[in-house]
């Protein structure tokens, strides 16, 4: 079973930016809708953003709209999450995940229905002064 790999996390001051990447080997990622999720200590996992395989459909949770942008470069088989104007409340482990079924034309921020089958190990994002 393959697994996506996240990178780009770190420590940043409030108001700063980070650009997370999600990639894998074997040119697999381009076939799947990809979601970014996060989990803070003591909190449930939350869907942050998602993008369809062709990049046409994207969704964002309300708290990140206008600050985060999801995109994908299928030639590089990579999905990005550009995070601007970061707040302490954005502190969490961020995971990327691929849907179970390839070639869908949409995506979802819901992860508790088994729709996402392939999960990365996560990357820590800490927003603090």
């Amino acid at each position: 079973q393959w697994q996506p790999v996240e990178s780009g996390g770190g420590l940043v001051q409030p108001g700063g930016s980070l650009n997370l990447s999600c990639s894998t080997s074997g040119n697999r990622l381009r076939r799947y809708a990809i979601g970014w999720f996060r989990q803070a200590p003591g909190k449930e996992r939350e869907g942050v953003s998602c993008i369809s395989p062709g990049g046409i459909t994207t969704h964002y949770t309300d708290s990140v709209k206008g600050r985060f942008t999801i995109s994908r470069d299928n030639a590089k088989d990579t999905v990005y999450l550009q995070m601007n104007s970061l707040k302490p409340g954005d502190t969490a482990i961020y995971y990327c995940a691929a849907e179970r079924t390839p070639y869908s034309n949409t995506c979802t921020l819901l992860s508790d229905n088994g729709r996402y089958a392939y999960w990365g190990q996560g990357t820590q994002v800490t927003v603090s002064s």
Side-chain angles (χ1 to χ4, degrees):
Q1 179 155 325
W2 62 279
Q3 184 176 43
V5 178
E6 305 93 341
S7 61
L11 173 64
V12 63
Q13 292 186 344
S17 298
L18 285 173
N19 190 21
L20 304 184
S21 298
C22 175
S23 62
T24 190
S25 61
N27 295 326
R28 292 186 178 93
L29 218 62
R30 65 193 65 187
R31 309 170 197 168
Y32 295 89
I34 301 297
W36 282 99
F37 300 85
R38 65 186 180 187
Q39 188 164 22
K43 294 188 177 181
E44 293 187 355
R45 186 171 62 198
E46 172 189 28
V48 176
S49 184
C50 67
I51 187 167
S52 60
I56 302 301
T57 300
T58 60
H59 295 299
Y60 298 91
T61 192
D62 286 346
S63 64
V64 308
K65 286 179 181 177
R67 300 189 298 123
F68 291 11
T69 302
I70 192 169
S71 62
R72 66 191 306 157
D73 183 342
N74 284 343
K76 295 182 178 179
D77 214 35
T78 301
V79 174
Y80 304 98
L81 185 68
Q82 177 66 43
M83 306 187 296
N84 299 328
S85 302
L86 282 162
K87 305 175 181 179
D90 295 317
T91 295
I93 299 174
Y94 283 70
Y95 301 89
C96 73
E99 286 192 354
R100 183 179 308 277
T101 304
Y103 306 120
S104 69
N105 59 5
T106 185
C107 67
T108 177
L109 296 181
L110 300 176
S111 66
D112 57 355
N113 54 6
R115 185 159 171 172
Y116 287 93
Y118 309 100
W119 290 82
Q121 295 288 335
T123 185
Q124 177 70 48
V125 171
T126 302
V127 185
S128 175
S129 55

